Amino acid sequence: SSASYELADTVSTALQRPGSETSTLTATGFLNPLKVLLALRHMSLVEIDPLLNETMLAYYRYCIGKTLEQPGSPFSQRAYMESPDPIAVMTDIAIVQNWMTVEYTDGAPEGVAQACHDVAANIQLRMAALTAGLDDRIEIWTSRAMGTDQYNQGYELGDINDAVDNLFRGGMDSQNFMANLMLANMHNAGEAWRVAEYGTDKSQYVATLTEAMEDQKVEVAAQGSMFLQTMFPLMGFFQFLFFALPPLIVLVMIAAPMAASRILGFYLLFGVWAYGWVPIAAVINHYIQIAIQNDIQFARAGLVGSGYTAIIGFDSLYNVVSTRLTIGANALASVPIILGAILSGTPF
């Protein structure tokens, strides 16, 4: 098993290339960055920092909302939704008029009336402190809501930083990613409320279809994760058989001397098969991550605004992540068959 592990580690290292590094199977597990991003999908500001959430809702209503009501408003909702940094757009005092709003803080949870421009600066500071992990709010949420990795270790802020840096090839800061995601989820929650209040048959159909597709992807990904958890015990069992069978193999060879070389060859082939699962899984792990890196880097601007981390781009991002994770999980579950086909030179 140590030889298999070392071979997988060597394969993972050999596949790395500057600018497109991937997490290795032996270090972080199978497709760990994708699982981290998928676990982040429902990251909610109202759960992590409800007072900042209330402040931003009030700011959007009384500052941005009032600005949008003015003739020739300088605030563009479209530019805001397509921006790679929507927090910067919504707090830009050059395009948001200085009305009055309410800010909610730990010192004044009941809210204090403030000028919009003052609250805009405070929103930037509070969001930056939150996503930087200056307190334990993010860590508490990750341990409660994100679950554990395949080694039963809870996810931490460092896992989020590594996953974002990995999949975006260093082109996205994890603080910016989390801030954008929480803002996008605020808008999605508002849309969900609107549909619930004024819903149409079409809206219900789309929501039901989307939920069914996501459930299917999660189920298949779970099957792949389950196989990964049983892969090493199964490998150990087959490797034990490989070392336990020589006396029987010798007896069979003696009983059928004309087929002895063929029997020995198949026996050795079985040993290679038993030791080869992890290296093949390492190749799949690398390929899926490279594929999603390319998907993110070459996203169509017309579909996702300025990128997958614009407010209008997150749904497309998570469709890509869940689809790739499903493909990877299916491929992982097929590792024994794939390796058998490679060694035997047949499709079965």
Side-chain angles (χ1 to χ4, degrees):
S1 57
S2 60
S4 179
Y5 178 92
E6 292 297 332
L7 180 57
D9 192 51
T10 301
V11 168
S12 298
T13 303
L15 290 172
Q16 302 295 322
R17 61 179 181 176
S20 295
E21 291 83 3
T22 60
S23 69
T24 62
L25 180 70
T26 51
T28 61
F30 184 69
L31 296 181
N32 191 63
L34 276 71
K35 292 179 181 177
V36 171
L37 249 64
L38 203 59
L40 276 176
R41 179 167 195 166
H42 299 295
M43 191 178 202
S44 172
L45 185 60
V46 70
E47 295 180 3
I48 298 173
D49 191 340
L51 294 177
L52 178 55
N53 181 74
E54 289 297 321
T55 297
M56 292 180 67
L57 289 176
Y59 177 88
Y60 195 90
R61 178 180 180 182
Y62 295 115
C63 302
I64 295 177
K66 290 292 185 181
T67 299
L68 287 170
E69 291 176 358
Q70 305 306 306
S73 170
F75 189 93
S76 169
Q77 186 78 352
R78 182 178 182 83
Y80 165 65
M81 299 291 282
E82 293 181 346
S83 171
D85 191 357
I87 293 289
V89 175
M90 73 179 294
T91 57
D92 185 353
I93 61 176
I95 58 175
V96 177
Q97 296 182 5
N98 198 23
W99 303 88
M100 294 297 290
T101 183
V102 182
E103 182 173 13
Y104 301 85
T105 63
D106 291 331
E110 70 282 359
V112 175
Q114 297 271 25
C116 287
H117 289 180
D118 293 336
V119 174
N122 292 340
I123 287 175
Q124 287 185 337
L125 292 174
R126 291 171 66 180
M127 183 62 80
L130 178 67
T131 54
L134 297 185
D135 56 29
D136 58 358
R137 298 175 196 260
I138 295 286
E139 294 285 3
I140 291 174
W141 182 86
T142 56
S143 63
R144 178 177 58 83
M146 291 181 63
T148 59
D149 60 18
Q150 68 175 44
Y151 302 113
N152 292 322
Q153 296 179 344
Y155 287 116
E156 300 176 347
L157 183 58
D159 295 307
I160 300 174
N161 296 337
D162 292 342
V164 172
D165 187 62
N166 175 289
L167 295 179
F168 287 84
R169 289 176 171 159
M172 166 59 65
D173 179 78
S174 62
Q175 286 186 253
N176 196 13
F177 179 88
M178 287 187 285
N180 292 2
L181 177 58
M182 287 188 284
L183 192 55
N185 284 337
M186 285 180 63
H187 281 274
N188 287 340
E191 179 65 14
W193 171 84
R194 187 192 67 76
V195 171
E197 189 71 18
Y198 308 105
T200 64
D201 291 339
K202 182 179 178 181
S203 298
Q204 172 129 15
Y205 169 76
V206 171
T208 302
L209 181 61
T210 301
E211 182 178 359
M213 292 173 64
E214 292 303 317
D215 287 345
Q216 182 265 339
K217 292 174 182 177
V218 170
E219 181 180 352
V220 174
Q223 291 172 357
S225 297
M226 186 178 299
F227 174 77
L228 185 64
Q229 292 175 354
T230 59
M231 175 186 286
F232 290 103
L234 278 172
M235 281 184 56
F237 170 71
F238 286 122
Q239 290 165 9
F240 171 78
L241 281 180
F242 179 70
F243 286 109
L245 288 177
L248 178 61
I249 295 298
V250 171
L251 289 176
V252 174
M253 291 171 64
I254 293 173
M258 298 298 294
S261 60
R262 187 165 177 267
I263 293 170
L264 179 61
F266 277 120
Y267 169 69
L268 295 176
L269 197 64
F270 171 76
V272 174
W273 177 83
Y275 276 92
W277 290 14
V278 176
I280 298 297
V283 174
I284 296 172
N285 180 68
H286 177 80
Y287 166 75
I288 295 295
Q289 291 182 69
I290 289 294
I292 198 171
Q293 287 175 354
N294 290 335
D295 288 337
I296 291 172
Q297 182 175 351
F298 302 111
R300 291 168 51 200
L303 176 65
V304 295
S306 58
Y308 277 116
T309 55
I311 290 176
I312 65 171
F314 271 103
D315 285 343
S316 296
L317 170 66
Y318 276 106
N319 181 57
V320 170
V321 170
S322 59
T323 300
R324 292 294 182 183
L325 187 57
T326 300
I327 294 171
N330 278 320
L332 178 67
S334 303
V335 162
I337 299 174
I338 294 172
L339 184 58
I342 292 172
L343 295 177
S344 64
T346 66
F348 303 103

